[in-house]
Amino acid sequence: MSATSAPFGLRPAYHPSGVIRPEMSTVVSGYATTIYQNQPVKIAADGSIQAAAVGDRFVGSFQGVEWTDSDGRRRFSNKWTASTAGTDIVAWYTRDPAIVYEIQSNAALTLANVGQEFDFTAASGSAVVGISTQMLDVASSAANAGVQFLSITPGADNAYGDTYVIAQVRISEHQLVADIAAF
């Protein structure tokens, strides 16, 4: 797997308590940006969920949405399609700053990278399956970046130095708590 680029966004891996609990919010009807599952999201000024851009402080990752369409049918999807109109919109996302996420890197990471902070790549995703294709941008290493690299996910096909490792990270610029310093 570490030699194959198959990104999946910022996927919740585990929480120290053993339970990952998605939170409920909403997306504004007609919101003009597609949000894919596992895409980083932020809380907007009106309290709704929006896609987070590279460099934004954010709260977690998008997990799915349900809404009532104009025909009165209840819809469920793992992505929010741009400009969708509906009512009773419920967006699910992760918000707990203690959650550890998995994300595939776009270049090799070494043991020396542990503790460093990186941003994710620009928003992108699969229109077919609705999953984010964002990656950990290894070239974006900075003292204050979006996520902090903790380790790689244990596995036979995932080793330090491989081209596309599955990295374990935590949010270092969480929108609801103080920044975490790189070490």
Side-chain angles (χ1 to χ4, degrees):
M1 181 70 165
S2 291
T4 304
S5 178
F8 46 79
L10 196 63
R11 177 173 63 198
Y14 68 88
H15 185 279
S17 72
V19 179
I20 297 172
R21 289 188 168 91
E23 301 281 336
M24 286 185 349
S25 187
T26 191
V27 175
V28 174
S29 180
Y31 179 62
T33 302
T34 297
I35 310 174
Y36 297 97
Q37 185 177 32
N38 298 331
Q39 180 174 340
V41 291
K42 64 183 181 179
I43 299 173
D46 64 3
S48 68
I49 295 300
Q50 294 182 346
V54 176
D56 283 351
R57 294 176 64 85
F58 64 104
V59 293
S61 65
F62 188 77
Q63 297 303 300
V65 63
E66 56 184 277
W67 73 99
T68 303
D69 69 13
S70 59
D71 293 331
R73 291 180 292 187
R74 196 72 181 153
R75 300 289 186 157
F76 302 87
S77 180
N78 64 335
K79 70 173 179 170
W80 173 262
T81 303
S83 303
T84 297
T87 59
D88 303 319
I89 302 167
V90 177
W92 297 94
Y93 70 105
T94 57
R95 184 175 69 181
D96 192 323
I99 294 173
V100 173
Y101 297 86
E102 292 178 328
I103 186 169
Q104 189 172 39
S105 67
N106 64 0
L109 290 166
T110 66
L111 192 56
N113 293 123
V114 171
Q116 291 180 348
E117 294 179 2
F118 302 91
D119 280 318
F120 42 84
T121 57
S124 61
S126 168
V128 176
V129 296
I131 296 176
S132 172
T133 55
Q134 290 177 273
M135 300 177 84
L136 183 73
D137 186 6
V138 176
S140 71
S141 178
N144 289 309
V147 296
Q148 184 177 45
F149 175 56
L150 302 174
S151 73
I152 63 171
T153 298
D157 294 335
N158 200 38
Y160 284 105
D162 287 347
T163 307
Y164 302 108
V165 299
I166 307 300
Q168 292 183 344
V169 299
R170 65 179 173 176
I171 300 173
S172 55
E173 290 187 319
H174 198 283
Q175 195 174 6
L176 301 177
V177 297
D179 287 357
I180 297 172
F183 57 88

